[in-house]
Amino acid sequence: MPEGPSIVILKEAAQQFAGETILEAESADKKIDIEVLRGRKITAFKSWGKHFLICLPDFTLRIHLMLFGSYLINSRKTSLARLSLRFRNGEINFYACSLARIDEPLDKIYDWSEDVMNDAFNYQNAIEKLKQHPQMMVCDALLNQHIFSGSGNIIKNEVLFRVGVRPDSLIGKIPIKKLDELVAETVRYSHQFYEWRKAAVLKEHFLIYGKPICPRDGTQTISELLGKSKRRTFYCPACQKLYN
């Protein structure tokens, strides 16, 4: 599943079509009225966490790439796109994604201070939200999109390793100083993820994700399906502390 930093990269790549008029639109999703897209001008592209937002004069098209979604700019696959938009200067095609129309103002739908890639991210609000869930596993907290919008499974694994906390630790048992460190590292690593992803070197910087041996102490790592979402989780039983 593409994480928040990857959606920011998509937003940047799509900027070439900002202000352009949609000349042709096609969709495999029957819930989307293609006719209302043709001839409409793109006013902006935005992102919130894992949501890519195509803003039009009176509504917004939300795209979520889900687990296996992808996109191509000025190119297309042989398979039918979930959404295809053609402009005077090119095209953008989305595959295996979910689409939704948003008619309300985005500021009423989205809290931008929850987005780890947004300059408006509010560190103290994240801490307060964490405190409200003392029995939540920290691995679940890092996937909670209303605490850390844009954080995904890779970010979860890498952040917990970097701060030395086991993923099955309970939020209420983690010292406040460590929670502060966790929040700061989530934002910091997300921006590093963005830089490495743009440079096509992201995997080279994985410390724990998919690794059989801990790079800090040489201990064999543990791989489990943890938390409510049962997402694949890697951790070192020696240098990541369990708070329970």
Side-chain angles (χ1 to χ4, degrees), residues 6-17:
S6 296
I7 302 304
V8 172
I9 292 172
L10 163 58
K11 177 179 65 176
E12 292 175 348
Q15 289 305 317
Q16 61 188 286
F17 304 124

Side-chain angles (χ1 to χ4, degrees), residues 22-38:
I22 301 172
L23 300 181
E24 190 58 58
E26 300 175 5
S27 178
D29 191 330
K30 302 304 181 184
K31 294 181 294 184
I32 299 298
D33 183 359
I34 291 302
E35 293 304 320
V36 303
L37 296 177
R38 295 189 179 106

Side-chain angles (χ1 to χ4, degrees), residues 16 30 35 57 76 78 83 85 97 104-106 113 131 148 162 173 185 196 207-208 224 226 231 242:
Q16 61 188 286
K30 302 304 181 184
E35 293 304 320
R76 60 175 61 197
T78 55
L83 176 68
L85 300 176
C97 62
E104 298 86 352
L106 292 182
S113 72
K131 289 180 180 178
F148 300 109
R162 283 162 166 75
K173 300 296 183 179
E185 183 60 27
W196 294 330
L207 297 181
I208 194 70
E224 292 185 297
L226 286 178
R231 298 296 304 277
L242 175 63

Side-chain angles (χ1 to χ4, degrees), residues 106-118:
L106 292 182
D107 288 345
K108 289 187 177 182
I109 302 295
Y110 293 109
D111 182 348
W112 308 104
S113 72
E114 297 171 340
D115 186 345
V116 296
M117 293 299 295
N118 197 303

Side-chain angles (χ1 to χ4, degrees), residues 107-152:
D107 288 345
K108 289 187 177 182
I109 302 295
Y110 293 109
D111 182 348
W112 308 104
S113 72
E114 297 171 340
D115 186 345
V116 296
M117 293 299 295
N118 197 303
D119 291 340
F121 181 83
N122 191 305
Y123 290 77
Q124 191 55 44
N125 282 354
I127 292 292
E128 294 305 317
K129 288 178 182 178
L130 288 171
K131 289 180 180 178
Q132 294 170 14
H133 302 282
Q135 296 303 310
M136 180 185 287
M137 282 187 184
V138 68
C139 61
D140 285 328
L142 279 163
L143 295 179
N144 187 315
Q145 298 302 291
H146 289 291
I147 302 176
F148 300 109
S149 174
S151 176

Side-chain angles (χ1 to χ4, degrees), residues 31-87:
K31 294 181 294 184
I32 299 298
D33 183 359
I34 291 302
E35 293 304 320
V36 303
L37 296 177
R38 295 189 179 106
R40 306 300 288 275
K41 180 178 288 189
I42 303 291
T43 59
F45 293 106
K46 297 183 180 183
S47 65
W48 179 86
K50 301 175 183 180
H51 294 181
F52 178 59
L53 305 166
I54 302 175
C55 304
L56 299 159
D58 50 358
F59 68 92
T60 299
L61 200 58
R62 186 195 74 201
I63 296 176
H64 193 309
L65 293 178
M66 310 297 283
L67 282 174
F68 305 109
S70 63
Y71 66 92
L72 288 174
I73 293 178
N74 299 330
S75 181
R76 60 175 61 197
K77 300 180 181 181
T78 55
S79 58
L80 183 64
R82 177 66 64 177
L83 176 68
S84 179
L85 300 176
R86 185 168 61 84
F87 306 90

